[in-house]
Amino acid sequence: MNYRHIYHAGNFSDVVKHYVLTLLLQKLHEKEKAFSIIDTHAGIGVYNLQSQQALKTNEAQEGILKLLHSSQDRSFFEQYLKVIQKQKTGFYPGSPVICRAFLRSQDRLWLSELHPEDFQSLTRYFDKDPQVKVLHQDGYTSLKALLPPREKRGFILIDPPFEERNEFKTLVNGLRESYKRFATGIYMIWFPIKDLKPIKEFYAALKGLEIPKILTVEFLRKPPITPEFLNGTGLIIVNPPWKIQEKIEPALERLLKIFEFTEGYVRLEWLCGEN
Ligand SMILES: C[S@@+](CC[C@H](N)C(=O)[O-])C[C@H]1O[C@@H](n2cnc3c(N)ncnc32)[C@H](O)[C@@H]1O
């Protein structure tokens, strides 16, 4: 396990992923009924952008820092930026802290993190928080244990590090098993876009699951022709809330402009179904 998210915290890909995450979490508030959130690959919760590791790559510079310092209209990102700006200056929240910001008193959050040090940091962060449970356990194993949630309402974030060659396959299997247990949950899966071959295979495998509603979101900073480079960031949304695509697309188009990704593009497509 070599991957450490501190080297990438707040980069363009985190901004896209976490912005869409906040949109989906807001939707859960439309009903009073309690929900559970499961974050299968949680990381450490909050990242110091001034740390040696973060400054080594300086990826936040063309991500969150660019958005925060932009003079362009940022109204699309209001809710997301509200969560970011609640952190101490120079710190960026990861998915656990963003999810926690959307819990009401009746809701719960489950976090899985396998890296021993990251698990400890996360445990310290949520120490004594009765609504959050941190598990030192493989994220896919957690899904088997936790689904379906007792509330029968839930959101699942699957955000693996893609260190393993077969991660796309593992994702498809994980989603198959999870969907069998809990077909009404909203799932958001993150994946890297380097070149298109593995993505095409991934989409074909997802189609084979015969899940009625799957939306794909692609945000490219460059055409995907150099497989050694993170050219773009992708999201799979299972059971997307009604017309969410109409919120995501214009916001991501705006983000391309803010980031000055002049060769970039955004593409949303229904892999299965439509709404
Ligand atoms: C991309 S990072 C997560 C970032 C986080 N979701 C966020 O948005 O802030 C992936 C994390 O998964 C952890 N990890 C790797 N393999 C895992 C596994 N099988 N189960 C759970 N966590 C794992 C890594 O240590 C790393 O912290």
Side-chain angles (χ1 to χ4, degrees):
M1 293 189 68
N2 292 320
Y3 182 92
R4 310 302 296 274
H5 197 65
I6 181 67
Y7 290 99
H8 310 289
N11 68 3
F12 83 98
S13 169
D14 257 9
V15 173
V16 171
K17 172 179 71 186
H18 293 152
Y19 164 66
V20 177
L21 176 66
T22 58
L23 278 184
L24 296 171
L25 294 174
Q26 281 167 65
K27 283 280 169 190
L28 290 174
H29 287 188
E30 287 178 1
K31 287 184 192 151
E32 263 314 296
K33 191 173 173 342
F35 57 77
S36 259
I37 301 176
I38 303 171
D39 183 352
T40 57
H41 297 71
I44 62 173
V46 72
Y47 298 89
N48 181 357
L49 297 181
Q50 297 303 316
S51 65
Q52 223 182 0
Q53 299 100 311
L55 289 174
K56 189 167 177 202
T57 55
N58 221 2
E59 291 187 13
Q61 202 63 47
E62 66 157 19
I64 186 59
L65 298 176
K66 198 142 194 170
L67 175 59
L68 282 171
H69 299 135
S70 173
S71 55
Q72 298 200 40
D73 179 6
R74 295 177 301 180
S75 46
F76 283 120
F77 309 104
E78 207 175 307
Q79 286 297 322
Y80 163 65
L81 288 174
K82 225 187 230 174
V83 182
I84 308 301
Q85 285 162 340
K86 267 197 195 138
Q87 308 308 310
K88 277 197 287 183
T89 312
F91 285 76
Y92 182 77
S95 52
V97 172
I98 296 173
C99 291
R100 180 64 183 94
F102 286 86
L103 293 190
R104 304 159 302 175
S105 58
Q106 65 270 44
D107 307 321
R108 299 183 296 160
L109 172 60
W110 304 85
L111 306 168
S112 257
E113 173 53 53
L114 207 49
H115 193 289
E117 284 170 34
D118 289 1
F119 165 72
Q120 270 176 14
S121 306
L122 198 59
T123 303
R124 272 196 301 275
Y125 188 91
F126 288 106
D127 186 32
K128 300 198 180 76
D129 187 331
Q131 287 177 258
V132 183
K133 181 95 181 137
V134 184
L135 307 166
H136 190 202
Q137 179 169 275
D138 165 61
Y140 299 103
T141 306
S142 296
L143 287 178
K144 283 190 184 153
L146 298 172
L147 294 179
R150 84 168 173 232
E151 300 87 353
K152 302 284 187 285
R153 274 190 89 206
F155 176 84
I156 295 100
L157 171 64
I158 310 180
D159 182 18
F162 280 84
E163 279 187 302
E164 308 290 335
R165 284 177 68 85
N166 58 356
E167 192 70 62
F168 279 116
K169 239 188 187 165
T170 310
L171 267 176
V172 173
N173 290 336
L175 181 58
R176 179 189 293 109
E177 289 306 311
S178 303
Y179 191 82
K180 264 191 229 159
R181 290 176 160 76
F182 186 43
T184 55
I186 301 174
Y187 296 75
M188 182 171 105
I189 298 172
W190 179 84
F191 60 95
I193 304 179
K194 294 180 174 177
D195 69 330
L196 290 181
K197 189 170 173 275
I199 311 296
K200 281 189 182 149
E201 289 168 3
F202 179 45
Y203 286 178
L206 286 172
K207 270 190 170 177
L209 298 182
E210 296 182 354
I211 292 175
K213 276 191 199 302
I214 303 184
L215 177 69
T216 63
V217 179
E218 299 177 358
F219 181 94
L220 276 294
R221 64 174 163 185
K222 285 196 174 78
I225 47 175
T226 43
E228 66 286 355
F229 196 66
L230 185 70
N231 295 305
T233 192
L235 300 170
I236 297 293
I237 307 175
V238 173
N239 293 328
W242 175 246
K243 291 196 186 296
I244 197 77
Q245 69 278 17
E246 293 176 12
K247 291 202 162 173
I248 297 175
E249 198 159 18
L252 295 190
E253 293 284 356
R254 171 66 49 81
L255 211 46
L256 278 181
K257 290 208 177 82
I258 292 174
F259 288 163
E260 298 172 275
F261 290 160
T262 50
E263 294 175 76
Y265 61 88
V266 170
R267 190 161 61 199
L268 270 71
E269 259 177 33
W270 289 96
L271 199 60
C272 309
E274 194 169 339
N275 71 25

